[in-house]
């Protein structure tokens, strides 16, 4: 086994950030958040983000229908824009197609991607293509916007802020689990939902066709409710650790408040459901902090998506998990790390 | 051999364009040119472009030093911005690193990329990373800008316009040829040039460290000299055919005016040099058309880069090549096609 280039994504990003400026001139925010922010014109800021989806890492040709691969490839970048409180506008798609790929796969991939784009008012404006000997890979770039000064960073959380999360966590990981178990083998894979965010009680649908929370993110930015925000793409434990590290704070989570994949509780043991909620990735829900004086302005739901208060920011570093009986334990980031994980 | 997804890049782009709008609202230009153009703020337009560089397709680990891979990955996108007459400002890099990659390779890759970025005043503001089982691949996104309404499209060429090209053509392909012939085997691979565009008489340097013509592109846009522009990334025959197709015109090229890799004439037979100049890719020179009444305002050189008038736009479709003896023949696009070619 050859030596890895970097031990973790955290180490890689830290290394890269040392070589490039973080903020200068019109650059409001550089490497290390969900997306970059650039001042353009008067009153508006441009948000730019890009996400890789690679066969064998982020999707598998055996498990994932191409329509879902296209949907999720775009959803990842839309969710990054949502996590800045921005509104996505344009997308570029760079597609490296494996030489073995039939035309039908490419057509279905774009059908999934363009279907989601249409629903979010996003226009495909460019990209690049290559035919490759290795696995298929795609890089989706999304350009969005926020009113100037309203972008929600990871670094704004302060001790005493409440921690909120949207929707349910672990649902996507449960869906993947079910897909892998082939419980759905032989059953027709469901088409993408046509209703907006909030739909998708089925864990499999939540995994195949996640709904980025763009409307919620823009709402929180517009109302100036949140102090910091990140999307739950790598799992709650990992994404909360990233938000805390960027803000130089710690957190206390109340386990019984974390909205797990409850309705599917019977499918898997309770302990597994808890682990999925804590560490399962790809939910694309929003995790945000709210100063105490603003907490009462956070609605219980937004456009059908429930918002849950799951804990509070603390001065001391690290994330603590408090169980229903009052005992506390350190919560290690055990979600997705791009330098450690792979799909198959 | 499985059926290819698409027969050619042209067919793929045509298929994709049918599904998405070309221009609407703030979108000034979508899929099919060197880059996309979006209206932002007052007086300025945003240029967005993205380019894949994949091991085994665009570079080979055996031939190409990582510093050159990083330099060229960014140069491709900078050249797209140059071809719109824009000025590049920001870059995002999505890197899928092969699991076999040593850290030193990644460091050298970024040294090449960031060295070029610094010279062009471009700031790295984000990206994504993944560790993959297949070959290494990178997608470089560049955001640039032009004054509103000044972006130079491929579609503006009109019959009677003169055709100009910058620098020398086929030099990069000759450099690759030399690298492959291992004429440079055992010789230390030269470091990237530190002087700006114009430097690089050596074909190997021109291949490893091409100099995007951003200053020239911005000059032509600012002075409103060009009617259409494209960069010579896939070879003169292919890129001119693309410009002509976008403009709905044809062209007549005067073979003896095409600036080939002359100073290295002795290295390869004359016929080969001509073929490299006509079909060799990766020169990243600018190919542009100029209305007759403006032709006298085109300087003979710009910041040390020679500009050559190599022919004229015609009403009839297709590209004709006129030899020194006055005979004409059709010039087929025999440059790079992303659906047909590979590097190794």
């Amino acid at each position: 086994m050859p030596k890895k280039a970097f031990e973790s994504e955290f180490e890689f990003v830290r290394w890269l950030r040392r070589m490039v400026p973080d903020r200068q001139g019109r650059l409001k925010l550089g490497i290390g958040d969900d997306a970059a922010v650039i001042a353009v014109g008067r009153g508006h800021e441009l948000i730019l983000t890009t996400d890789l989806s690679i066969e064998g890492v982020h999707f598998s040709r055996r498990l994932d229908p191409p329509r879902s691969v296209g949907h999720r490839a775009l959803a990842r970048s839309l969710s990054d824009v949502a996590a800045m409180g921005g509104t996505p506008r344009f997308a570029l798609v760079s597609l490296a197609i494996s030489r073995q790929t039939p035309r039908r796969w490419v057509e279905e991939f774009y059908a999934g991607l363009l279907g989601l784009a249409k629903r979010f008012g996003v226009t495909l404006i460019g990209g690049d293509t290559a035919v490759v000997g290795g696995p298929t890979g795609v890089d989706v770039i999304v350009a969005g916007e926020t009113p100037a000064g309203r972008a929600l960073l990871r670094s704004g959380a302060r001790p005493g802020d409440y921690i909120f999360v949207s929707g349910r966590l672990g649902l996507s990981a449960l869906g993947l689990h079910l897909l892998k178990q082939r419980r759905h083998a032989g059953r027709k894979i469901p088409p993408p939902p046509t209703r907006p965010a909030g739909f998708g009680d089925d864990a499999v649908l939540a995994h195949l066709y996640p709904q980025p929370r763009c409307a919620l993110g823009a709402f929180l930015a517009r109302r100036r409710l949140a102090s910091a925000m990140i999307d739950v793409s790598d799992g709650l434990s990992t994404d909360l650790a990233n938000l805390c590290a960027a803000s130089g704070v710690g957190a206390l989570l109340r386990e019984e408040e974390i909205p797990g994949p409850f309705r599917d509780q019977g499918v898997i043991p309770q302990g597994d459901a808890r682990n999925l909620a804590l560490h399962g990735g790809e939910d694309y829900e929003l995790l945000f902090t709210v100063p105490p004086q603003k907490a009462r302005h956070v609605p219980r739901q937004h456009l059908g998506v429930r918002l849950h208060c799951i804990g509070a920011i603390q001065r001391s570093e690290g994330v603590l998990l408090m169980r229903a009986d009052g005992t506390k334990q350190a919560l290690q980031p055990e979600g997705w790390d791009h330098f450690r994980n792979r799909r198959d």
Side-chain angles (χ1 to χ4, degrees), chain A:
Chain A
M1 186 71 184
K3 215 182 86 180
K4 277 186 182 176
F6 293 86
E7 284 308 309
S8 69
E9 191 175 6
F10 183 78
E11 189 209 344
F12 172 76
V13 171
R14 197 174 53 180
W15 171 78
L16 194 56
R17 286 180 76 166
R18 275 204 302 270
M19 296 190 289
V20 292
D22 203 28
R23 303 180 192 200
Q24 62 165 30
R26 290 182 300 153
L27 177 62
K28 298 301 170 190
L29 184 65
I31 295 167
D33 213 296
D34 293 290
V37 181
I38 301 164
V40 290
R42 202 178 297 179
H44 278 74
E45 284 171 355
L46 173 72
I47 294 175
L48 283 176
T49 187
T50 179
D51 285 275
L52 289 165
S53 297
I54 294 171
E55 189 180 343
V57 180
H58 304 92
F59 68 91
S60 120
R61 196 162 290 217
R62 192 172 46 82
L63 284 179
D64 300 299
R67 197 173 279 254
S68 162
V69 175
H71 178 110
R72 281 159 58 211
L74 177 61
R76 301 182 64 196
S77 291
L78 294 183
S79 184
D80 281 335
V81 173
M84 306 301 293
T87 302
R89 300 292 187 201
F90 302 103
L92 294 92
V93 174
S94 287
L95 180 62
I97 316 172
S98 167
R99 208 167 286 123
Q100 287 75 38
T101 309
R103 177 166 178 148
R104 182 80 187 145
W105 194 96
V106 180
E107 289 173 346
E108 283 287 301
F109 167 86
Y110 273 102
L113 191 148
L114 292 174
L116 184 66
K118 190 175 180 187
R119 199 135 42 79
F120 280 81
V122 169
T123 307
L124 182 67
I125 60 171
D128 195 11
T129 47
V131 176
V132 297
T136 292
V138 59
D139 190 34
V140 176
I141 301 101
V142 168
E145 61 183 354
T146 52
R150 296 291 179 91
L152 284 164
L153 280 47
R154 296 180 179 181
S155 54
R158 297 292 170 261
D161 287 359
Y162 289 105
I163 302 170
F164 285 79
V165 73
S166 65
R168 290 190 281 156
L169 299 180
L171 202 58
S172 173
L174 176 60
L176 175 60
H177 173 81
L178 293 175
L179 275 172
K180 280 188 174 170
Q181 276 196 337
R182 298 188 172 277
R183 293 201 180 187
H184 287 256
R187 286 175 54 183
K188 191 168 154 42
I189 296 204
T194 49
R195 280 199 276 158
F199 181 82
D201 286 338
D202 186 334
V204 170
L205 272 184
H207 176 72
L208 293 176
Y209 305 104
Q211 304 298 315
R213 302 306 189 194
C214 296
L216 173 61
F219 166 81
L220 294 169
R222 202 170 54 239
R223 297 287 182 91
R224 297 181 192 269
L225 286 175
S227 52
M229 190 151 66
I230 191 170
D231 67 327
V232 187
S233 53
D234 298 335
L236 175 62
S237 63
T238 293
D239 291 316
L240 180 56
N242 285 336
L243 185 146
C244 285
S247 295
V249 296
L252 177 71
L253 287 184
R254 300 169 68 93
E255 192 182 58
E256 80 275 20
E257 303 296 339
I258 298 170
F262 293 134
R263 294 189 213 176
D264 302 278
Q265 205 161 246
V267 181
I268 50 168
Q270 178 64 23
D272 290 352
R274 194 183 57 221
N275 278 332
L276 290 176
L278 289 173
H279 309 298
E282 299 193 275
D283 282 314
Y284 303 110
E285 297 294 348
L286 292 180
L287 178 70
F288 55 98
T289 57
V290 178
Q293 69 276 15
K294 294 184 176 176
R296 65 188 175 88
H297 299 297
V298 177
R300 292 180 66 87
Q301 58 100 3
H302 181 260
L303 298 179
V305 182
R306 288 283 302 275
L307 305 181
H308 304 265
C309 181
I310 60 173
I313 295 294
Q314 297 191 316
R315 198 170 302 276
S316 57
E317 276 183 33
V319 178
L320 288 173
L321 184 69
M322 188 166 80
R323 300 197 184 282
D325 62 8
T327 58
K328 296 176 190 173
Q329 66 173 103
L331 180 67
Q332 300 303 324
E334 291 174 19
W336 180 272
D337 186 302
H338 300 285
F339 278 82
R340 290 184 188 144
N341 298 98
R342 57 190 302 219
R343 176 65 173 263
D344 283 343

